[in-house]
Short mmCIF file of all heavy atoms in Angstrom, two decimals:
data_model
loop_
_atom_site.label_atom_id
_atom_site.label_comp_id
_atom_site.label_asym_id
_atom_site.label_seq_id
_atom_site.Cartn_x
_atom_site.Cartn_y
_atom_site.Cartn_z
N LEU W 1043 0.86 -1.17 0.00
CA LEU W 1043 0.00 0.00 0.00
C LEU W 1043 0.90 1.23 0.00
O LEU W 1043 1.51 1.55 1.02
CB LEU W 1043 -0.93 0.02 1.21
CG LEU W 1043 -1.93 1.18 1.24
CD1 LEU W 1043 -2.95 1.01 0.12
CD2 LEU W 1043 -2.64 1.26 2.60
N GLN W 1044 1.01 1.87 -1.15
CA GLN W 1044 1.79 3.10 -1.27
C GLN W 1044 0.90 4.26 -0.87
O GLN W 1044 -0.16 4.46 -1.47
CB GLN W 1044 2.29 3.28 -2.70
CG GLN W 1044 3.06 4.57 -2.93
CD GLN W 1044 4.38 4.60 -2.20
OE1 GLN W 1044 5.13 3.62 -2.23
NE2 GLN W 1044 4.68 5.70 -1.54
N MET W 1045 1.31 5.02 0.13
CA MET W 1045 0.53 6.12 0.64
C MET W 1045 1.28 7.43 0.42
O MET W 1045 2.36 7.63 0.96
CB MET W 1045 0.23 5.93 2.14
CG MET W 1045 -0.42 4.59 2.46
SD MET W 1045 -0.89 4.44 4.20
CE MET W 1045 0.72 4.49 4.97
N ASN W 1046 0.70 8.30 -0.38
CA ASN W 1046 1.29 9.61 -0.68
C ASN W 1046 0.39 10.72 -0.16
O ASN W 1046 -0.78 10.51 0.13
CB ASN W 1046 1.49 9.77 -2.19
CG ASN W 1046 2.42 8.75 -2.78
OD1 ASN W 1046 3.40 8.33 -2.15
ND2 ASN W 1046 2.15 8.34 -4.02
N SER W 1047 0.96 11.91 -0.07
CA SER W 1047 0.21 13.09 0.38
C SER W 1047 -0.55 12.80 1.67
O SER W 1047 -1.74 13.11 1.79
CB SER W 1047 -0.75 13.55 -0.72
OG SER W 1047 -0.06 13.86 -1.91
N LEU W 1048 0.13 12.22 2.62
CA LEU W 1048 -0.51 11.81 3.87
C LEU W 1048 -1.05 13.00 4.66
O LEU W 1048 -0.44 14.07 4.69
CB LEU W 1048 0.46 11.02 4.72
CG LEU W 1048 0.69 9.58 4.24
CD1 LEU W 1048 1.94 8.99 4.86
CD2 LEU W 1048 -0.53 8.72 4.58
N LYS W 1049 -2.19 12.78 5.29
CA LYS W 1049 -2.86 13.78 6.11
C LYS W 1049 -2.96 13.28 7.54
O LYS W 1049 -2.87 12.08 7.80
CB LYS W 1049 -4.27 14.05 5.57
CG LYS W 1049 -4.33 14.41 4.10
CD LYS W 1049 -5.78 14.50 3.64
CE LYS W 1049 -5.87 14.84 2.17
NZ LYS W 1049 -7.29 14.90 1.71
N SER W 1050 -3.19 14.19 8.47
CA SER W 1050 -3.31 13.80 9.87
C SER W 1050 -4.45 12.80 10.08
O SER W 1050 -4.34 11.91 10.93
CB SER W 1050 -3.52 15.02 10.76
OG SER W 1050 -4.69 15.72 10.40
N GLU W 1051 -5.51 12.91 9.30
CA GLU W 1051 -6.63 11.99 9.44
C GLU W 1051 -6.33 10.58 8.95
O GLU W 1051 -7.16 9.68 9.11
CB GLU W 1051 -7.88 12.54 8.73
CG GLU W 1051 -7.63 12.95 7.30
CD GLU W 1051 -7.42 14.45 7.16
OE1 GLU W 1051 -6.64 15.01 7.95
OE2 GLU W 1051 -8.05 15.06 6.28
N ASP W 1052 -5.15 10.37 8.34
CA ASP W 1052 -4.74 9.04 7.93
C ASP W 1052 -4.11 8.27 9.09
O ASP W 1052 -3.81 7.09 8.96
CB ASP W 1052 -3.74 9.11 6.78
CG ASP W 1052 -4.35 9.66 5.51
OD1 ASP W 1052 -5.49 9.29 5.18
OD2 ASP W 1052 -3.66 10.47 4.83
N THR W 1053 -3.89 8.94 10.21
CA THR W 1053 -3.30 8.30 11.38
C THR W 1053 -4.19 7.17 11.87
O THR W 1053 -5.37 7.37 12.16
CB THR W 1053 -3.09 9.32 12.51
OG1 THR W 1053 -2.12 10.29 12.10
CG2 THR W 1053 -2.59 8.63 13.78
N ALA W 1054 -3.64 5.97 11.96
CA ALA W 1054 -4.40 4.79 12.36
C ALA W 1054 -3.48 3.58 12.37
O ALA W 1054 -2.34 3.64 11.91
CB ALA W 1054 -5.56 4.54 11.38
N ILE W 1055 -4.00 2.48 12.89
CA ILE W 1055 -3.33 1.20 12.73
C ILE W 1055 -3.85 0.61 11.42
O ILE W 1055 -5.06 0.53 11.22
CB ILE W 1055 -3.62 0.23 13.89
CG1 ILE W 1055 -3.12 0.82 15.21
CG2 ILE W 1055 -2.97 -1.12 13.64
CD1 ILE W 1055 -3.47 -0.02 16.42
N TYR W 1056 -2.95 0.20 10.55
CA TYR W 1056 -3.32 -0.34 9.26
C TYR W 1056 -3.18 -1.86 9.27
O TYR W 1056 -2.15 -2.40 9.69
CB TYR W 1056 -2.45 0.25 8.15
CG TYR W 1056 -2.87 1.66 7.79
CD1 TYR W 1056 -2.65 2.71 8.66
CD2 TYR W 1056 -3.52 1.91 6.58
CE1 TYR W 1056 -3.07 4.00 8.34
CE2 TYR W 1056 -3.92 3.19 6.25
CZ TYR W 1056 -3.70 4.23 7.13
OH TYR W 1056 -4.11 5.51 6.80
N TYR W 1057 -4.21 -2.53 8.80
CA TYR W 1057 -4.25 -3.98 8.77
C TYR W 1057 -4.40 -4.50 7.35
O TYR W 1057 -5.13 -3.92 6.55
CB TYR W 1057 -5.45 -4.51 9.57
CG TYR W 1057 -5.48 -4.13 11.02
CD1 TYR W 1057 -6.10 -2.95 11.43
CD2 TYR W 1057 -4.92 -4.96 11.98
CE1 TYR W 1057 -6.14 -2.60 12.77
CE2 TYR W 1057 -4.97 -4.63 13.32
CZ TYR W 1057 -5.58 -3.45 13.71
OH TYR W 1057 -5.64 -3.11 15.04
N CYS W 1058 -3.75 -5.61 7.04
CA CYS W 1058 -4.05 -6.29 5.79
C CYS W 1058 -4.88 -7.52 6.13
O CYS W 1058 -4.84 -8.04 7.24
CB CYS W 1058 -2.78 -6.69 5.02
SG CYS W 1058 -1.74 -7.94 5.80
N ALA W 1059 -5.66 -7.97 5.17
CA ALA W 1059 -6.57 -9.09 5.39
C ALA W 1059 -6.79 -9.87 4.11
O ALA W 1059 -6.72 -9.31 3.01
CB ALA W 1059 -7.91 -8.58 5.93
N ARG W 1060 -7.05 -11.16 4.25
CA ARG W 1060 -7.34 -12.02 3.11
C ARG W 1060 -8.83 -12.24 3.00
O ARG W 1060 -9.48 -12.59 3.98
CB ARG W 1060 -6.64 -13.36 3.26
CG ARG W 1060 -6.55 -14.15 1.95
CD ARG W 1060 -6.56 -15.64 2.19
NE ARG W 1060 -7.90 -16.13 2.46
CZ ARG W 1060 -8.21 -17.40 2.66
NH1 ARG W 1060 -7.25 -18.32 2.66
NH2 ARG W 1060 -9.46 -17.77 2.90
N GLY W 1061 -9.35 -12.05 1.81
CA GLY W 1061 -10.76 -12.26 1.58
C GLY W 1061 -11.14 -13.72 1.53
O GLY W 1061 -10.28 -14.60 1.42
N LYS W 1062 -12.44 -13.99 1.62
CA LYS W 1062 -12.91 -15.36 1.54
C LYS W 1062 -13.09 -15.82 0.09
O LYS W 1062 -13.33 -16.99 -0.17
CB LYS W 1062 -14.23 -15.52 2.30
CG LYS W 1062 -15.38 -14.70 1.76
CD LYS W 1062 -16.68 -15.06 2.45
CE LYS W 1062 -16.64 -14.71 3.93
NZ LYS W 1062 -17.95 -15.00 4.59
N SER W 1063 -12.96 -14.88 -0.85
CA SER W 1063 -13.07 -15.20 -2.26
C SER W 1063 -12.09 -14.34 -3.05
O SER W 1063 -11.33 -13.57 -2.48
CB SER W 1063 -14.50 -14.98 -2.76
OG SER W 1063 -14.76 -13.60 -2.93
N GLY W 1064 -12.13 -14.47 -4.35
CA GLY W 1064 -11.26 -13.66 -5.19
C GLY W 1064 -11.89 -12.37 -5.65
O GLY W 1064 -11.28 -11.62 -6.42
N ASP W 1065 -13.08 -12.07 -5.17
CA ASP W 1065 -13.82 -10.88 -5.60
C ASP W 1065 -13.44 -9.64 -4.80
O ASP W 1065 -13.12 -9.71 -3.61
CB ASP W 1065 -15.32 -11.11 -5.45
CG ASP W 1065 -15.82 -12.28 -6.27
OD1 ASP W 1065 -15.27 -12.52 -7.37
OD2 ASP W 1065 -16.75 -12.97 -5.82
N LEU W 1066 -13.52 -8.49 -5.45
CA LEU W 1066 -13.32 -7.22 -4.77
C LEU W 1066 -14.40 -7.02 -3.73
O LEU W 1066 -15.57 -7.30 -3.97
CB LEU W 1066 -13.37 -6.06 -5.76
CG LEU W 1066 -12.19 -5.89 -6.72
CD1 LEU W 1066 -12.52 -4.82 -7.74
CD2 LEU W 1066 -10.93 -5.52 -5.95
N SER W 1067 -14.02 -6.52 -2.55
CA SER W 1067 -14.99 -6.26 -1.50
C SER W 1067 -14.45 -5.23 -0.52
O SER W 1067 -13.27 -5.24 -0.18
CB SER W 1067 -15.35 -7.53 -0.75
OG SER W 1067 -16.29 -7.27 0.29
N SER W 1068 -15.34 -4.35 -0.06
CA SER W 1068 -15.01 -3.38 0.96
C SER W 1068 -15.65 -3.73 2.30
O SER W 1068 -15.59 -2.95 3.25
CB SER W 1068 -15.47 -1.98 0.53
OG SER W 1068 -16.88 -1.94 0.35
N GLU W 1069 -16.25 -4.90 2.37
CA GLU W 1069 -16.99 -5.33 3.56
C GLU W 1069 -16.11 -6.12 4.52
O GLU W 1069 -15.47 -7.09 4.12
CB GLU W 1069 -18.20 -6.16 3.17
CG GLU W 1069 -19.18 -5.45 2.26
CD GLU W 1069 -19.86 -4.30 2.96
OE1 GLU W 1069 -20.01 -4.36 4.19
OE2 GLU W 1069 -20.24 -3.34 2.27
N LEU W 1070 -16.11 -5.73 5.78
CA LEU W 1070 -15.32 -6.41 6.81
C LEU W 1070 -15.61 -7.91 6.87
O LEU W 1070 -14.69 -8.72 7.02
CB LEU W 1070 -15.59 -5.80 8.18
CG LEU W 1070 -14.82 -4.54 8.57
CD1 LEU W 1070 -15.43 -3.95 9.83
CD2 LEU W 1070 -13.35 -4.86 8.79
N LEU W 1071 -16.87 -8.27 6.75
CA LEU W 1071 -17.27 -9.66 6.91
C LEU W 1071 -16.81 -10.56 5.77
O LEU W 1071 -16.90 -11.78 5.89
CB LEU W 1071 -18.79 -9.75 7.07
CG LEU W 1071 -19.37 -9.14 8.34
CD1 LEU W 1071 -20.88 -9.28 8.35
CD2 LEU W 1071 -18.77 -9.82 9.57
N GLN W 1072 -16.32 -9.98 4.69
CA GLN W 1072 -15.83 -10.77 3.57
C GLN W 1072 -14.35 -11.13 3.72
O GLN W 1072 -13.79 -11.77 2.83
CB GLN W 1072 -16.05 -10.02 2.26
CG GLN W 1072 -17.51 -9.76 1.94
CD GLN W 1072 -18.34 -11.03 1.95
OE1 GLN W 1072 -17.99 -12.02 1.29
NE2 GLN W 1072 -19.43 -11.03 2.69
N TYR W 1073 -13.73 -10.75 4.83
CA TYR W 1073 -12.33 -11.06 5.08
C TYR W 1073 -12.22 -11.97 6.29
O TYR W 1073 -12.85 -11.74 7.32
CB TYR W 1073 -11.53 -9.77 5.28
CG TYR W 1073 -11.49 -8.95 4.02
CD1 TYR W 1073 -12.50 -8.06 3.72
CD2 TYR W 1073 -10.44 -9.10 3.12
CE1 TYR W 1073 -12.49 -7.33 2.53
CE2 TYR W 1073 -10.41 -8.38 1.94
CZ TYR W 1073 -11.43 -7.50 1.65
OH TYR W 1073 -11.41 -6.78 0.47
N VAL W 1074 -11.39 -13.01 6.17
CA VAL W 1074 -11.35 -14.06 7.19
C VAL W 1074 -10.02 -14.19 7.92
O VAL W 1074 -9.97 -14.80 8.99
CB VAL W 1074 -11.74 -15.42 6.58
CG1 VAL W 1074 -13.19 -15.40 6.11
CG2 VAL W 1074 -10.82 -15.77 5.41
N TYR W 1075 -8.94 -13.66 7.37
CA TYR W 1075 -7.65 -13.70 8.03
C TYR W 1075 -7.08 -12.29 8.10
O TYR W 1075 -7.15 -11.53 7.13
CB TYR W 1075 -6.67 -14.61 7.29
CG TYR W 1075 -7.08 -16.07 7.29
CD1 TYR W 1075 -7.65 -16.65 6.16
CD2 TYR W 1075 -6.89 -16.85 8.42
CE1 TYR W 1075 -8.03 -17.98 6.16
CE2 TYR W 1075 -7.28 -18.18 8.43
CZ TYR W 1075 -7.84 -18.74 7.29
OH TYR W 1075 -8.22 -20.07 7.30
N TRP W 1076 -6.49 -11.96 9.26
CA TRP W 1076 -6.00 -10.61 9.51
C TRP W 1076 -4.59 -10.60 10.07
O TRP W 1076 -4.22 -11.49 10.83
CB TRP W 1076 -6.92 -9.88 10.51
CG TRP W 1076 -8.30 -9.68 10.01
CD1 TRP W 1076 -9.31 -10.59 9.98
CD2 TRP W 1076 -8.83 -8.48 9.43
NE1 TRP W 1076 -10.44 -10.04 9.43
CE2 TRP W 1076 -10.18 -8.74 9.09
CE3 TRP W 1076 -8.30 -7.22 9.18
CZ2 TRP W 1076 -11.00 -7.78 8.51
CZ3 TRP W 1076 -9.11 -6.26 8.60
CH2 TRP W 1076 -10.44 -6.55 8.28
N GLY W 1077 -3.82 -9.58 9.70
CA GLY W 1077 -2.51 -9.39 10.28
C GLY W 1077 -2.64 -8.66 11.60
O GLY W 1077 -3.74 -8.30 12.04
N GLN W 1078 -1.51 -8.41 12.26
CA GLN W 1078 -1.51 -7.75 13.56
C GLN W 1078 -1.55 -6.23 13.47
O GLN W 1078 -1.81 -5.55 14.45
CB GLN W 1078 -0.29 -8.18 14.37
CG GLN W 1078 -0.31 -9.65 14.78
CD GLN W 1078 -1.50 -9.97 15.65
OE1 GLN W 1078 -1.70 -9.35 16.70
NE2 GLN W 1078 -2.32 -10.93 15.21
N GLY W 1079 -1.29 -5.70 12.29
CA GLY W 1079 -1.37 -4.27 12.08
C GLY W 1079 -0.04 -3.54 12.23
O GLY W 1079 0.88 -4.03 12.88
N THR W 1080 0.06 -2.39 11.60
CA THR W 1080 1.24 -1.54 11.71
C THR W 1080 0.77 -0.10 11.89
O THR W 1080 -0.15 0.36 11.22
CB THR W 1080 2.15 -1.69 10.47
OG1 THR W 1080 3.34 -0.93 10.64
CG2 THR W 1080 1.45 -1.25 9.19
#
């Protein structure tokens, strides 16, 4: 995830996750495995 022109509102813990399928999705419930965050 390349992040440019960062703003203060971008401050957060960022997590990557694996979906349950190969389809694009923005829904939390469609992801089943999660990293610990950075």
Side-chain angles (χ1 to χ4, degrees):
L1043 184 68
Q1044 178 67 46
M1045 306 185 295
N1046 299 325
S1047 302
L1048 284 163
K1049 307 174 181 179
S1050 59
E1051 51 261 48
D1052 294 318
T1053 295
I1055 298 175
Y1056 283 71
Y1057 301 89
C1058 67
R1060 197 210 78 178
K1062 63 172 64 177
S1063 76
D1065 301 326
L1066 288 172
S1067 179
S1068 61
E1069 301 293 332
L1070 277 169
L1071 293 179
Q1072 298 305 309
Y1073 294 86
V1074 295
Y1075 296 102
W1076 297 80
Q1078 293 299 304
T1080 184

